[in-house]
């Protein structure tokens, strides 16, 4: 009788195959997790800009009130630089698509369809 030490070729191939399969599954799950996190960051950025624009239109400044009247009939837009100037946005806000601070040129559309105010920023 011979004493065998070690593994057979089939055992080694099966083990390596299982390790590769586990690696693929783990990599897939991690990439979808990071993708979801990125989508959440973009959505949060969009909500911050939209909220600031809607708040800007509701300010009591007479000049803004006139703009609000125009917005109600024709719709309008506001830039992030105006929102920063009025203290509604943090100038250190990071755009998740570029990884840089907002430039101030980001534009948020304000409209009143069905007499209900909506503020929309399209990321992209």
């Amino acid at each position: 009788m011979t004493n065998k030490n070690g593994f057979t070729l089939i055992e080694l191939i099966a083990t390596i195959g299982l390790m590769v399969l586990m690696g693929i599954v783990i990599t897939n799950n991690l990439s979808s997790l990071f993708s979801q996190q990125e989508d959440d960051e973009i959505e949060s950025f969009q909500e911050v800009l939209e909220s600031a624009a809607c708040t800007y239109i509701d300010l009591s400044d007479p000049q803004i009130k006139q703009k609000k009247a125009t917005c109600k009939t024709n719709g309008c837009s506001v830039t992030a630089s105006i929102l920063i100037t009025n203290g509604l946005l943090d100038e250190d806000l990071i755009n998740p698509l570029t990884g840089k601070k907002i430039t101030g040129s980001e534009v948020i559309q304000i409209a009143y369809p069905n007499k209900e105010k909506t503020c929309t920023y399209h990321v992209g």
Side-chain angles (χ1 to χ4, degrees), residues 2-103:
T2 62
N3 187 4
K4 290 170 63 176
N5 290 333
F7 300 102
T8 66
L9 183 59
I10 293 175
E11 290 172 327
L12 289 174
I13 291 174
T15 303
I16 291 172
L18 285 173
M19 291 175 70
V20 167
L21 185 62
M22 286 178 14
I24 291 171
V25 169
I26 290 170
T27 302
N28 236 1
N29 288 337
L30 286 178
S31 67
S32 68
L33 178 68
F34 289 129
S35 176
Q36 180 62 42
Q37 182 180 3
E38 185 178 296
D39 290 347
D40 290 346
E41 286 176 6
I42 292 170
E43 189 176 313
S44 175
F45 174 74
Q46 183 174 349
E47 287 173 3
V48 166
L49 290 178
E50 291 171 354
S51 175
C54 282
T55 302
Y56 170 75
I57 286 299
D58 289 335
L59 292 176
S60 59
D61 185 326
Q63 185 179 7
I64 296 171
K65 278 189 173 183
Q66 185 176 359
K67 186 171 182 103
K68 183 176 183 177
T70 305
C71 285
K72 282 189 174 183
T73 55
N74 304 327
C76 60
S77 61
V78 64
T79 62
S81 61
I82 292 171
L83 300 174
I84 292 169
T85 302
N86 283 282
L88 296 169
L89 271 185
D90 182 10
E91 62 187 47
D92 293 332
L93 184 65
I94 303 292
N95 183 334
L97 291 175
T98 62
K100 298 178 181 175
K101 292 181 184 178
I102 55 174
T103 61

